[in-house]
Amino acid sequence: MELGSVVQFLDNKSILVTGGTGFLAKIFVEKILRIQPNVKKLYLVVRAADHKSATHRLHNEIIGKDLFRNLKEKHGKSFTSFISDKISVIPGDISRQDLGVQDSGMIQQISKDVEVVLNLAATTNFDERYDVALGLNTMGVKYVVEFAKQCVKLQVLVHVSTAYVSGERSGLILETGYSLGETLNGVGGLDINMERKVVDDKLNDLRLQGASDKDITIAMKDLGIHRARLYGWPNTYVFTKAMGEMMVGEFKGAVIVRPTIITSTYKEPFPGWVEGTRTIDSLAVGYAKGILTFFLGNLDSIVDVIPADMVVNAMIAAMMAHASHQPPESIYHVGSSLQNPIKYSHLQDYGFRYFTNKPWINKDGKPVIVGKVRVLDSMDSFHRYMAFRYLLLLKGLEWANAAFCHYFQGVYSNMNRKINFVMRLVDIYRPYLFFNAVFDDLNTEKLRMAARTSLVEEDMLCFDPKCIDWDDYFMNVHIPGIVKHIFK
């Protein structure tokens, strides 16, 4: 496998990117414009009602970010005209045919012009409404594939999934795909069209019953969890992403990239850029602010993290490899658990050391003093902790509320809602807190080898986790990055 020149590959190239306002999409767009300003066109599909709204999102949610500061400095006053020339923002909705693009002329232009399709659009909420998740993560992929088939110059379709479509399997998880209707637990009957019907029927029933928007949302979330677990997946997100992969599998020559837990940038365009609270970052935020008082999970478990710019580099490398000569591999795990593993205990240590030396300053201007959090290493210990710490108090409030003619109803309802929220979150995230697997990356290693030996621009596409010093990365890059870009 030979990659050649990434600069030459991107020269005069037209690329369609769905999910244009997403975290990875922004990093991808910035990278392409920085390393090859002679790219012909980046068509960014963003969720918007019209072109004016889409343009507003482009300027406020994409190029207006600090991520683009190096490009702005490089182009100076010509930055705006450069962006206008290289980026076409397209209002659309991938959960609909033709990506929800209403302008037939634009559809024809894209289908005649585009050589690479990169599907990044998704909802990553583990507890998403089933109708929303199915629409974006599954049916959206179907519509992207159908659109890609219309692109007469198409060289490659790259679909970004997640390594956690593997569910709760343990051991070494291989880079293998899913066939239509395949399930994790062997239960038969999974039919994607039937899943759409299940959603439609449920929504119709709820509307006939006069259900409120809130009740519909709750019912749709519960339905997603139920359908996922019926077929062996732990939550709605990974279930709908797995079905999305089944849609991609029907398209010969497509590439699936499966990142693990994505963290802030390692080097490009600068270290530590992050946006939104990623999975493990919510733990750091809660810990620094003194909200997180205990941790549920196995501290000896491997937590598979990978910097965002490495994911983007792997995407580009896969794009180049498959656009030129279609290697037999089609699925790439992009993570660190096999090559450079890190444990939850390391994350605990990094957080303690960092926020002991640089404590978070609260609203009152006082530093938050952090300590070692209590570790609950099993679900049984968690349930005992919750029962002793909160459920007994809740029961007492329930009795007092009844005795005093519902005087404490507000306090009781508020506490009950918070406890139920925590219990639901724990139920959804439990598989990852006790995850006992590593992701094989043989296919990805072949890509890395090709980049090392045949890429003309040496080091331009680094995605080797072995080069990461985790201590340095977390203490000097990632945690400072989330403090700067996330903490409020």
Side-chain angles (χ1 to χ4, degrees):
M1 186 191 303
E2 292 190 4
L3 296 185
S5 167
V6 62
V7 172
Q8 183 177 338
F9 172 77
L10 293 170
D11 186 36
N12 203 37
K13 192 78 71 182
S14 291
I15 304 173
L16 175 70
V17 182
T18 67
T21 59
F23 180 53
L24 283 180
K26 292 170 190 173
I27 297 172
F28 175 81
V29 168
E30 193 280 338
K31 171 102 179 183
I32 299 302
L33 295 178
R34 176 164 42 85
I35 67 174
Q36 181 47 287
N38 290 324
V39 65
K40 182 179 179 182
K41 187 71 72 174
L42 295 175
Y43 294 98
L44 304 188
V45 180
V46 303
R47 204 176 181 92
D50 51 39
H51 190 266
K52 181 179 179 181
S53 300
T55 302
H56 179 79
R57 295 197 70 184
L58 168 67
H59 288 281
N60 286 273
E61 299 178 39
I62 304 176
I63 62 172
K65 298 295 181 179
D66 187 46
L67 177 72
F68 286 80
R69 72 185 187 208
N70 291 353
L71 270 176
K72 290 176 182 176
E73 291 173 3
K74 176 182 177 181
H75 291 276
K77 293 180 179 179
S78 65
F79 177 73
T80 301
S81 60
F82 172 70
I83 292 296
S84 297
D85 182 47
K86 298 301 177 180
I87 295 179
S88 285
V89 62
I90 304 165
D93 179 355
I94 72 156
S95 64
R96 299 179 180 180
Q97 286 187 325
D98 287 332
L99 311 183
V101 179
Q102 302 297 315
D103 185 342
S104 59
M106 178 58 73
I107 293 173
Q108 290 181 1
Q109 179 183 332
I110 297 171
S111 60
K112 290 178 181 178
D113 196 27
V114 161
E115 296 149 285
V116 176
V117 173
L118 173 61
N119 183 37
L120 285 164
T123 172
T124 59
N125 182 357
F126 281 25
D127 195 24
E128 183 62 270
R129 287 174 52 140
Y130 191 36
D131 53 335
V132 174
L134 188 70
L136 286 172
N137 295 348
T138 304
M139 301 312 301
V141 181
K142 176 186 176 184
Y143 294 133
V144 169
V145 169
E146 289 178 353
F147 191 85
K149 290 177 180 178
Q150 301 175 35
C151 298
V152 294
K153 293 182 180 178
L154 187 73
Q155 296 177 6
V156 63
L157 163 64
V158 178
H159 170 68
V160 178
S161 183
T162 170
Y164 295 96
V165 291
S166 59
E168 298 182 64
R169 282 184 287 177
S170 59
L172 184 66
I173 298 174
L174 303 179
E175 294 163 300
T176 53
Y178 292 103
S179 56
L180 272 174
E182 182 179 350
T183 63
L184 290 183
N185 57 9
V187 172
L190 175 59
D191 183 311
I192 293 172
N193 289 323
M194 184 57 65
E195 292 305 302
R196 291 183 69 184
K197 187 175 185 305
V198 167
V199 165
D200 291 341
D201 289 348
K202 183 66 173 179
L203 284 172
N204 288 334
D205 287 346
L206 289 165
R207 287 164 183 153
L208 286 172
Q209 295 168 16
S212 66
D213 290 344
K214 181 180 179 181
D215 288 338
I216 290 175
T217 295
I218 293 171
M220 282 293 106
K221 287 186 175 185
D222 288 343
L223 179 63
I225 295 293
H226 169 72
R227 299 303 292 182
R229 292 179 179 174
L230 175 63
Y231 295 113
W233 280 272
N235 57 62
T236 308
Y237 169 60
V238 292
F239 176 46
T240 53
K241 289 295 283 186
M243 289 191 288
E245 287 196 10
M246 295 176 195
M247 298 286 96
V248 177
E250 297 298 291
F251 185 72
K252 186 178 180 181
V255 182
I256 296 175
V257 175
R258 290 177 177 167
T260 54
I261 299 171
I262 302 172
T263 54
S264 62
T265 54
Y266 178 61
K267 284 187 177 179
E268 295 185 78
F270 48 85
W273 189 78
V274 68
E275 183 179 56
T277 307
R278 323 308 297 176
T279 310
I280 60 169
D281 298 340
S282 58
L283 298 177
V285 172
Y287 175 68
K289 293 186 176 183
I291 300 170
L292 184 69
T293 57
F294 69 91
F295 173 79
L296 172 64
N298 181 1
L299 290 180
D300 289 326
S301 290
I302 293 173
V303 51
D304 197 318
V305 297
I306 189 76
D309 50 336
M310 287 195 173
V311 177
V312 167
N313 289 342
M315 285 159 39
I316 297 172
M319 195 180 288
M320 293 174 64
H322 287 259
S324 56
H325 43 71
Q326 300 295 326
E329 298 82 16
S330 62
I331 296 178
Y332 299 91
H333 283 155
V334 184
S336 60
S337 56
L338 191 65
Q339 304 290 343
N340 190 6
I342 183 174
K343 296 180 179 180
Y344 276 110
S345 58
H346 295 127
L347 298 188
Q348 181 190 43
D349 177 59
Y350 297 147
F352 176 73
R353 285 162 50 199
Y354 185 89
F355 292 112
T356 296
N357 292 327
K358 299 178 180 178
W360 174 248
I361 306 301
N362 64 20
K363 294 178 181 178
D364 300 325
K366 297 178 180 178
V368 177
I369 307 302
V370 298
K372 293 284 187 179
V373 298
R374 180 172 181 175
V375 178
L376 308 174
D377 59 4
S378 70
M379 289 302 293
D380 286 342
S381 62
F382 168 72
H383 287 131
R384 285 195 300 269
Y385 177 83
M386 290 297 292
F388 179 76
R389 188 81 180 263
Y390 298 106
L391 296 179
L392 286 176
L393 176 59
L394 185 67
K395 195 66 179 176
L397 265 176
E398 182 182 6
W399 290 335
N401 191 42
F404 288 91
C405 302
H406 301 285
Y407 180 79
F408 298 105
Q409 185 64 43
V411 177
Y412 170 77
S413 297
N414 186 48
M415 186 174 184
N416 190 42
R417 184 174 63 254
K418 288 181 179 179
I419 290 174
N420 287 335
F421 176 72
V422 169
M423 298 296 277
R424 184 180 181 92
L425 283 182
V426 167
D427 182 49
I428 291 170
Y429 284 97
R430 175 193 53 78
Y432 310 104
L433 298 171
F434 297 96
F435 200 68
N436 188 29
V438 296
F439 294 102
D440 178 52
D441 64 350
L442 180 61
N443 294 343
T444 308
E445 181 59 25
K446 291 178 182 177
L447 266 184
R448 283 192 287 260
M449 182 64 71
R452 283 193 291 265
T453 59
S454 67
L455 187 67
V456 173
E457 301 83 7
E458 194 174 352
D459 296 331
M460 190 170 276
L461 296 182
C462 173
F463 53 103
D464 188 352
K466 291 193 293 292
C467 73
I468 303 173
D469 178 335
W470 289 120
D471 190 280
D472 177 68
Y473 171 73
F474 275 96
M475 296 298 292
N476 299 316
V477 176
H478 183 65
I479 298 180
I482 61 176
V483 168
K484 178 180 179 180
H485 297 289
I486 295 178
F487 274 37
K488 303 295 182 184

